């Protein structure tokens, strides 16, 4: 219609608006279908530091424009993990985007990675921001499918994050308090360190 028909300005505008609405409907339907499908992981050895850096690079403009200070604390010698690199990068990206949306210009975004041995060896990833806290009546619902407080949201972003983390045998939780902001904690199985090769001595 837009290329062949001779439309006046008002008709052309209505057609373009309908086209954009159809594209949005298609996007939403694809997200719903993707969420409903069984999750298939393409596990490969990768570095947690690299996944965090790649996710940060995708929101670097928003971080710079909003003058957000990023504080990263990641062990220099952290063993590689066997994760689906693309899906876990999306996990970090989604959390970073939500954090940036909650923060005022000049806010602080802290990312800390550590190995814990409280009950069993685990890799703990903490992503904290000092932005507007999540209301008490909402915080327990943020990982539920289709729940959203955004006008244009589908409610599948954090639900997908939870699904990906749990498929990696991990756990994710969120805590939010006034004057403290919001903290997302991800617990993943600890990376396995390889035993160094030692040649046998001749008998």
């Amino acid at each position: 219609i837009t290329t062949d028909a001779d439309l006046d300005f008002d008709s052309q505008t209505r057609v373009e608006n309908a086209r954009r609405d159809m594209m949005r409907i298609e996007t939403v339907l694809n997200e719903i279908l993707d969420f409903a499908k069984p999750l298939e992981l393409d596990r490969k050895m990768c570095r947690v530091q690299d996944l965090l850096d790649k996710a940060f690079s995708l929101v670097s403009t928003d971080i710079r424009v909003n003058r957000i200070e990023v504080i990263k604390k990641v062990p220099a010698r952290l063993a590689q993990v066997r994760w689906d690199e693309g899906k876990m990068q999306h996990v970090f990206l989604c959390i970073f985007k939500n954090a940036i949306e909650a923060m005022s210009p000049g806010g602080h975004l802290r990312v800390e990675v550590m190995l814990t041995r409280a009950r069993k060896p685990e890799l703990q990833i903490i992503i904290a921001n000092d932005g507007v806290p999540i209301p008490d009546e909402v915080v327990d619902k943020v990982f539920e499918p289709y729940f959203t407080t955004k006008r244009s949201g589908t409610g599948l972003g954090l639900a997908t994050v939870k699904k990906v983390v749990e498929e990696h045998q991990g756990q994710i939780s969120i805590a939010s308090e006034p004057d403290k902001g919001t903290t997302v904690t991800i617990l993943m199985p600890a990376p396995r360190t390889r035993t160094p090769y030692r040649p046998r001595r001749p008998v």
Side-chain angles (χ1 to χ4, degrees), residues 14-43:
R14 286 196 294 271
V15 170
E16 287 296 332
N17 288 340
R19 181 172 173 270
R20 282 194 292 269
D21 288 342
M22 290 297 296
M23 291 175 65
R24 168 160 168 71
I25 290 170
E26 182 181 15
T27 300
V28 171
L29 287 175
N30 284 334
E31 287 186 10
I32 292 172
L33 291 171
D34 287 342
F35 182 78
K37 286 190 292 190
L39 196 63
E40 296 181 1
L41 300 180
D42 181 18
R43 290 175 178 267

Side-chain angles (χ1 to χ4, degrees), residues 123-135:
L123 185 67
Q124 185 180 57
I125 303 167
I126 297 172
I127 303 172
N129 72 80
D130 56 2
V132 178
I134 303 172

Side-chain angles (χ1 to χ4, degrees), residues 151-163:
R151 293 183 60 185
S152 59
T154 61
L156 291 175
L158 289 177
T160 301
V161 163
K162 184 174 186 287
K163 186 176 181 179

Side-chain angles (χ1 to χ4, degrees), residues 45-127:
M45 299 304 296
C46 54
R47 300 174 72 245
V48 178
Q49 302 95 314
D50 293 342
L51 300 187
L52 290 169
D53 289 342
K54 288 177 183 177
F56 269 122
S57 69
L58 295 173
V59 291
S60 59
T61 300
D62 293 330
I63 289 173
R64 185 171 61 254
V65 168
N66 290 285
R67 305 189 308 279
I68 293 171
E69 182 182 355
V70 176
I71 305 162
K72 286 192 292 185
K73 188 176 180 182
V74 183
R77 294 184 178 182
L78 186 63
Q80 289 187 324
V81 292
R82 193 167 177 268
W83 291 351
D84 185 310
E85 186 172 352
K87 288 183 173 59
M88 284 304 299
Q89 182 182 319
H90 177 75
V91 164
F92 297 138
L93 178 61
C94 185
I95 296 172
F96 292 163
K97 283 184 174 180
N98 279 276
I100 292 169
E101 290 175 3
M103 283 188 284
S104 303
H108 299 81
L109 179 59
R110 178 173 62 89
V111 179
E112 185 172 359
V113 181
M114 67 187 80
L115 283 171
T116 65
R117 290 181 172 81
R119 294 174 299 171
K120 58 182 179 179
E122 289 179 315
L123 185 67
Q124 185 180 57
I125 303 167
I126 297 172
I127 303 172

